[in-house]
Structure formats: structure tokens, C-alpha cells
Amino acid sequence: MAEEVKKAPRPVDPNSAKYKLGKIAGDAYANAIEAKKAGKPVAWVSSNFPVEIPETLGLYTVYPENQAAGIAARGAGERMCNVAEADGYSNDICAYARISLAYAKLKECPEQDVAMPDVLLCCNNICNCMIKWYENLSQELGIPMIMLDIPFNPDYEPSRAIIDYVGAQFWDAVHKLEALFGIKWDDEKFKAVTEASCRSSRAWLEATAQAKYTPSPFNGFDLLNHMAVMVTARGKEEAGEAMETLLKEYKENHENGTSTFRAEEKYRVMFEGIACWPYLRATSRGLKDRGINMVTTIYADAFGFDYSSFDEMIAAYCSVPNAINLEKSRDKRIKLCKDNNVEGLLVHTNRSCKLWSGFMPEMSRQIGEACDIPVASFDGDQADPRNFSEAQYDTRVQGLMEIMESNKEA
Amino acid sequence: MYTLGIDIGSTTSKCVILKDGEYVYAKGLAVGGLGTQGPEIALNTIWNESGLTKSDIARTIVTGYGRNRFEGGDGEVSELTCHALGGRFVFEDLRTVIDIGGQDAKVITLSESGKMSNFVMNDKCAAGTGRFLDVMAGILCVDINDFEKYAEKSKSPASISSTCTVFAESEVISQLANGVEMPDLIAGICDSVATRVASLARRAGVRETVCMSGGVARNGAVRKAMEKELGVRIEFDPLAQYFGAIGAALYAHRQLTR
Ligand code: SF4
């Protein structure tokens, strides 16, 4: 039998955004592992906890959601979920939580190893499952958990009272960490971190906004990968630089009539929800083969933490996707659909993320009506592969495409 | 001109030959869908019935869950579009199709001009699909085609509160053991499917004329329960199970004549 010749992966240009972003994400994991070996403190941090705190204090960080996504994308989601379920965690619990709890027990997973934590930084602005997940980590690992409580905001804008409440907790978290590790807050460093975070955010917002062009200069699935840096490293100097490279590349693509979407762009959709990591290839191929480019997602807006004062920074953390009411969430998405000439909405009904998926049927109905676009949804899960059917996905995507096609003909 | 539509579902395969996109020239149905002999048997039925051969067919379109794996078609279209087209072929003012198939349930809305404008489908759960009814018929040892006859005799339909097929199975068994009459039990099962699917229909938005398609459409008990639930008349045609295949054949015809 002829031996299979594996194609060597194409070398990535070290000056490209892809290389720079990949390196930042990879370095963050590696640096935390090295730091741990050297006896320096490592924090596990929830994705929308203010990065300004660990970054200013010089703490090494690991983002368990990001780790779980990596593990799921590399095919180990089910194995890790099974470990957690065997310990009694229900399979109704978010798969990111199950994977992370399994990792805390096993302390290894070749698909994405991380440094073990000395402290947990938890913020519930994305969901309350986060609290129990981190409390359990804290119990199992015997380490402290610092909680920043940002409740769901039923009003359109965060009130003065909420900003004061969260602002006070911000400083409380800082003081606790100072006392825990004998470290000192430095206002100058804080200023530099906030500047870096805003710089990354501005470039990210502008880069993702390049989808306003038809064809879009990028495949929206790129955003799902690049966003890792916005989650984990937006407060770092090099993140701003890499995001600006991304923006430059997208602008050049537009000028040269090229795109990272490697097919003819016949239709443009918005993708709603977390990626279906275990089936990233199947979900992206199902779109690409039909000439459907996912040009935007709420992530394009969600990590735009651009602010000019402490209060504005706190307000930004109170305004992340899962912390805001239906009307505001809807309006942000309608804006993205309109700015980017979206012709259809594809909703991932994500079994893991109850909060996000729970208000989607009504929200997507309202978006569909406001933008006069068809909406299709499919079942899946961000990390547990047992909740997805490729045939079901395919039929719905095709149905969506056929409506978009007949809308074009009309 | 003859065009052929093949609808390969999860439990049955249907074929229809349309003449000039105007009337059903031949039709065939076989038990067994994707991955079985079903498509072949259904095709043999129409060749025998029509006396036509493959070379007489101007264009073939395949639809249904098996559409991507069937070789020998000229193209494939989703069953959503096909049910909309097929339904409109039979009911000219059609605005809503409620299709309950073997493994899914869908509600398709049509614009005034007859184009599919949106659709809502069930989630992964089998409740509210043909499979749910099949499982219940199996437990009760009643032919599914007799469900309507039984349900008509019901005085007080049993309440089947579990949506999960497996839980509903044990619920039905314990109701049987408690002496609930067969007609009441069957009416309750049909009501349970109807309520599930009616909520999908409400999400999609119900506009008259409404029709049912798919195998479950033949079950008058489910149809009536759904009419009661939605407060609208639901049209039925004996061709309901063929709407997907008719739509595919019509699509083929339109591609050739456009
Ligand atoms: S439930 Fe949703 S928001 Fe919460 S951790 Fe899981 S994926 Fe994130």
C-alpha cells in the first residue's frame, strides 16, 4: 500500500496577523506554564473579567473557556465531559464548565494543557453558571476565588448605582490580590494597560467592520479564532499591534479584491452564538460550499472595550452580550446586520449556553422582522459533540440559502 | 416533458413523475429511506406504473435527508423548498405547510406569491415527529393507520405530559396498566404531537390556507387535534405524503423552462 504523503502545512508569514495573533495566544499558555514552574502566581480568569486587573498586577493568566474551546476543537470534548459526568456533574451543565472541572481533576489534557491556578478570578457578567463552576474549582483545588458580581441589567443602560457597585468591587479585587500575593498596583502601568486594551479594541472593531464591503475581505470564521486574543490578551501591547496588522490586511484585501473567504461570496449571513467547536470544519464547510459567507457575529461588537474613563470601562463590562436586556442585544445585532448587508441569520441553539440560547428564539424573530431577512436555527453545542447532527445542520443551511436565493431573484 | 422528483426521507422514499409540470403522471412510495433499498423500490414502482424509462426523464431533482448521497439525480434541493412547492401545487392559496415526517417536524411559511419565506423546525428531540407516533403504536400494538378510528371514539383524551419519547413510553404503559381506554390513550398521544407541532407553527406564524404534508398528514386524529389547537382549518390531500417529491419534480421543470 502506498504510504500516505502528508502535505506539509504552508509556512505562515511571520509578519502576518495570523502568525502574530497565533503567537500571542500560544505564548499566553506557554508563559503561564513557565511562570508556574518559576513559582509565580497564575490566575484562571473568566472571559469577561476586567483584564485590566491581572494585566496591571502582572499576574499570569489562563482563560478556561478558551482552553475548553481548544480542547473541543481538537476532538477531546466528549472525553473530558465524560470525566466530569462520571464525577456527578450533569450533562445539562455548560460543556466548558464540564471540561474545565475535568481538567482540574486530571491536571492534564494533551489537546490543551495549561498552568494550574493559584487564584480564580470570576465575573458573572456572562452567566451565573460561571459562579458555581468557579466555586467548585475553588473547593476542589483549595485556592481562593475572587468574585466580581455584575448582575444582568434589565434596563437599556447601566445605572449610576450599578457602575458604583461594580467599580467598588473592582478595587476590592485589586486589594485582595495585592494582599494575597504581596504585589502592588501601579497607576502608571494601569494607564498603559487601558491604553493597550483600547488600542486593540479599536483595531478589532475597525477590522471586523470591513465586512461592510461586498464581497467581504474576510471569512467570518476567522473572527472566531482571532477573537481568542481579544478575550485573553487585549491588554497587551503586542495585541494592539497584531490587531492593527489584521485591519491593514483586511483593508488591503478589499483594495485588491481578495478575501480570506475562499469561494465566491453569493450570500452574506450573520452567525449567532458560540461556534460549534467540535464541528468547526463541518459548520464552516456547510456554508462555504454554498457560497455563504458568515460576515459578522456579535463578537465583532462584544470585545470592543473602547473607553476613556474608569466609569466608561466599568460600563463596558456591564454591557457585554449576556448581561444586557433583549432590546439592547437585539439593537446591537440589527446594527451589525444592517451595517454589513446581511441577507440571512443563522442561529446556533447551543445546548451548553442556556442564557444565550434561551432568549434567541424571540430575539432572532425580532431581528428577522426588523431586517426583513430569513432566520434558521440548528441544534448544537459549543464543546460537547453529542448534541449536533450534520444532516440537520445541512438541511437548515440549505433551506436558508434557498430563501436568500429566491429573495435575490424577486 | 417528464420531470422526476425523488424524496428520500428517514423512513420512506417517494418518487413522482410530473408531466409538463402540470400533473402527476406516476408516483411510487416505499418503506425505507436513506441507506436502504427504499429509493430503488420506489423508482421501480414508477417505471412499472408509467411505462417510462430513465431516458424519458428530462431532469431529476432529489430532496430529503438522503438527497446528498443519492447518485443519479441532476441536482438536489432541500425538502423545505420542495414541501412548499409541492403543497402550493395542490393548494393554490397555500401560505403555511405543516410537515411531520419520520424524524422531524417543520412549519414552512409561504409568501403571497408562493415563495418559501421562512421555516421553523423541531429541535433534536423526537417528540412531535412520526417516530414518536411509531413508538407509541408499537407499545399499544395498534396499526398506526387505525389511530384515527380509535381517537374518534375517545370521550376524554388522556393527558400525556412527557415530551420525551422514552418518558412518554413509560407514561403510556402505566396509563394502560391503570385501565385507561385505548381510544382515550390514542387521542391523548395525538394531542401531544399536535401541541408540540402547534407551538412550532405559532412561532413561524400561521396564515391560511394551511395544509399538512408528510406521512403523519394521513393521520386524521393528529390533523383534527392540530385544528383545535391552532383554531384554523387544516387542508389535507391524499397526495400529502408526496409533496416533497412533487416539489422536486416541479423544481426540475422550472429549471428547464425558466
Ligand atoms: S453557560 Fe454560556 S456564558 Fe456561561 S460559561 Fe457556558 S458558554 Fe459561557
Side-chain angles (χ1 to χ4, degrees):
Chain A
M1 202 173 76
E3 220 173 90
E4 201 187 329
V5 184
K6 269 203 177 156
K7 261 207 247 162
R10 251 192 294 164
V12 183
D13 174 0
N15 293 314
S16 67
K18 187 175 175 189
Y19 180 89
K20 290 179 185 173
L21 291 165
K23 184 165 178 347
I24 294 169
D27 283 356
Y29 283 118
N31 293 344
I33 290 173
E34 285 312 309
K36 184 80 192 174
K37 282 187 199 147
K40 293 180 188 153
V42 171
W44 277 12
V45 191
S46 56
S47 63
N48 277 321
F49 188 94
V51 287
E52 290 77 0
I53 295 179
E55 199 60 42
T56 304
L57 288 170
L59 286 175
Y60 288 85
T61 52
V62 168
Y63 289 79
E65 291 149 81
N66 200 250
Q67 178 203 18
I71 288 175
R74 293 178 194 116
E78 185 174 349
R79 191 179 82 231
M80 296 299 273
C81 284
N82 279 335
V83 171
E85 286 165 32
D87 271 352
Y89 292 106
S90 159
N91 77 355
D92 276 337
I93 299 171
C94 168
Y96 280 176
R98 275 178 283 152
I99 290 174
S100 171
L101 288 158
Y103 192 84
K105 178 185 179 179
L106 303 174
K107 298 182 180 55
E108 64 171 358
C109 177
E111 284 79 1
Q112 185 61 69
D113 272 312
V114 296
M116 292 306 288
D118 301 286
V119 67
L120 301 159
L121 305 182
C122 181
C123 183
N124 60 337
N125 50 358
I126 49 171
C127 74
N128 283 338
C129 159
M130 206 64 162
I131 306 175
K132 293 294 152 197
W133 164 9
Y134 274 52
E135 277 174 1
N136 278 25
L137 286 175
S138 168
Q139 286 280 322
E140 298 286 344
L141 299 170
I143 55 169
M145 161 179 164
I146 293 177
M147 176 69 207
L148 206 88
D149 177 35
I150 302 188
F152 179 85
N153 185 5
D155 303 324
Y156 205 86
E157 298 296 345
S159 65
R160 183 69 250 166
I162 293 247
I163 290 173
D164 289 345
Y165 172 62
V166 176
Q169 291 180 73
F170 182 98
W171 293 118
D172 185 52
V174 169
H175 298 145
K176 278 184 179 142
L177 286 164
E178 284 179 323
L180 259 174
F181 300 113
I183 44 181
K184 219 52 231 130
W185 182 262
D186 174 344
D187 280 332
E188 280 309 305
K189 176 101 186 278
F190 178 47
K191 196 163 162 267
V193 169
T194 56
E195 276 162 13
S197 177
C198 292
R199 179 183 168 195
S200 311
S201 298
R202 277 193 299 270
W204 168 258
L205 286 173
E206 209 184 329
T208 56
Q210 300 305 304
K212 66 183 176 218
Y213 296 115
T214 305
S216 164
F218 63 87
N219 178 345
F221 274 81
D222 295 356
L223 304 183
L224 301 176
N225 287 321
H226 299 334
M227 160 195 119
V229 169
M230 287 310 291
V231 178
T232 63
R234 62 181 176 274
K236 292 189 195 303
E237 200 62 45
E238 55 273 30
E241 208 262 318
M243 285 300 164
E244 282 163 8
T245 309
L246 185 72
L247 169 62
K248 190 169 136 267
E249 287 177 3
Y250 286 174
K251 281 185 168 169
E252 281 169 4
N253 283 357
H254 167 61
E255 277 154 26
N256 303 332
T258 54
S259 173
T260 59
F261 183 68
R262 311 252 179 252
E264 184 198 344
E265 182 184 286
K266 294 190 196 145
Y267 311 99
R268 301 161 63 86
V269 298
M270 170 158 161
F271 183 90
E272 181 57 55
I274 302 177
C276 205
W277 293 112
Y279 298 98
L280 199 59
R281 188 164 297 172
T283 46
S284 110
R285 201 182 46 225
L287 295 176
K288 202 180 104 202
D289 288 353
R290 297 182 168 93
I292 304 173
N293 191 5
M294 178 265 260
V295 291
T296 192
T297 121
I298 191 63
Y299 289 126
D301 174 278
F303 290 104
F305 289 98
D306 190 13
Y307 49 80
S308 51
S309 67
F310 180 80
D311 281 357
E312 277 183 31
M313 176 188 74
I314 298 294
Y317 283 106
C318 295
S319 307
V320 301
N322 283 357
I324 53 178
N325 69 9
L326 189 140
E327 292 74 15
K328 190 164 181 170
S329 306
R330 174 202 61 200
D331 293 348
K332 277 175 181 282
R333 287 161 169 89
I334 289 176
K335 182 169 181 335
L336 284 169
C337 285
K338 293 197 166 160
D339 288 352
N340 297 303
N341 306 313
V342 160
E343 302 165 275
L345 173 60
L346 183 61
V347 179
H348 174 197
T349 303
N350 179 353
R351 289 282 156 162
S352 267
C353 196
K354 316 292 189 279
L355 180 60
W356 197 329
S357 298
F359 67 2
M360 253 314 137
E362 177 54 19
M363 198 198 303
S364 57
R365 190 190 65 75
Q366 294 187 17
I367 298 168
E369 255 176 40
C371 302
D372 196 19
I373 53 170
V375 178
S377 68
F378 68 96
D379 283 288
D381 195 291
Q382 66 207 20
D384 186 336
R386 295 166 289 187
N387 291 322
F388 175 81
S389 148
E390 202 172 331
Q392 190 205 60
Y393 174 77
D394 232 50
T395 298
R396 293 168 194 216
V397 169
Q398 188 162 350
L400 182 68
M401 182 204 80
E402 287 163 3
I403 300 179
M404 294 190 290
E405 187 179 31
S406 79
N407 286 348
K408 271 193 202 299
E409 283 168 4
Chain B
M1 176 174 45
Y2 300 103
T3 53
L4 170 63
I6 308 175
D7 177 5
I8 306 171
S10 59
T11 49
T12 54
S13 301
K14 286 83 57 178
C15 298
V16 161
I17 295 176
L18 280 188
K19 180 146 196 248
D20 299 327
E22 279 172 5
Y23 66 93
V24 175
Y25 191 76
K27 60 183 186 346
L29 182 145
V31 175
L34 174 63
T36 69
Q37 297 287 308
E40 215 181 301
I41 300 171
L43 275 169
N44 284 336
T45 313
I46 51 162
W47 300 138
N48 292 338
E49 190 189 309
S50 64
L52 298 174
T53 64
K54 204 167 180 294
S55 60
D56 297 313
I57 304 296
R59 191 167 178 81
T60 302
I61 290 291
V62 193
T63 187
Y65 269 104
R67 69 188 183 283
N68 293 318
R69 305 230 196 106
F70 182 84
E71 285 169 15
D74 299 307
E76 45 98 9
V77 179
S78 79
E79 55 269 41
L80 295 152
T81 292
C82 290
H83 278 274
L85 281 173
R88 187 83 170 195
F89 178 82
V90 175
F91 301 107
E92 56 177 25
D93 296 322
L94 189 69
R95 298 294 300 276
T96 311
V97 184
I98 300 174
D99 170 57
I100 308 184
Q103 70 172 21
D104 65 23
K106 41 189 169 288
V107 179
I108 306 160
T109 56
L110 286 78
S111 68
E112 218 166 313
S113 66
K115 287 205 163 83
M116 167 165 73
S117 53
N118 225 334
F119 60 88
V120 179
M121 292 177 81
N122 66 317
D123 54 28
K124 269 184 72 193
C125 174
T129 70
R131 187 82 75 211
F132 181 85
L133 291 168
D134 286 344
V135 170
M136 298 306 147
I139 309 168
L140 301 174
C141 301
V142 170
D143 185 332
I144 195 147
N145 296 316
D146 293 334
F147 264 35
E148 186 170 0
K149 246 178 16 214
Y150 277 101
E152 268 167 8
K153 292 189 198 124
S154 165
K155 292 203 179 68
S156 121
S159 142
I160 313 290
S161 52
S162 311
T163 49
C164 165
T165 307
V166 178
F167 288 174
E169 193 173 337
S170 42
E171 201 179 333
V172 166
I173 291 169
S174 67
Q175 298 223 29
L176 257 184
N178 289 338
V180 176
E181 300 285 336
M182 194 65 95
D184 289 338
L185 211 41
I186 289 179
I189 290 165
C190 295
D191 282 354
S192 135
V193 170
T195 12
R196 279 288 283 196
V197 180
S199 65
L200 282 186
R202 284 199 198 92
R203 258 170 65 191
V206 179
R207 279 228 174 92
E208 289 183 274
T209 305
V210 184
C211 83
M212 262 185 87
S213 69
V216 177
R218 287 176 303 147
N219 185 326
V222 174
R223 250 175 20 239
K224 279 177 204 146
M226 199 114 64
E227 283 185 334
K228 205 165 82 197
E229 190 66 36
L230 292 174
V232 293
R233 184 183 153 79
I234 297 178
E235 304 294 338
F236 168 72
D237 186 278
L239 284 173
Q241 211 173 353
Y242 292 93
F243 280 1
I246 294 175
L250 197 58
Y251 193 91
H253 181 262
R254 288 193 181 166
Q255 280 187 320
L256 294 173
T257 52
R258 201 182 290 156

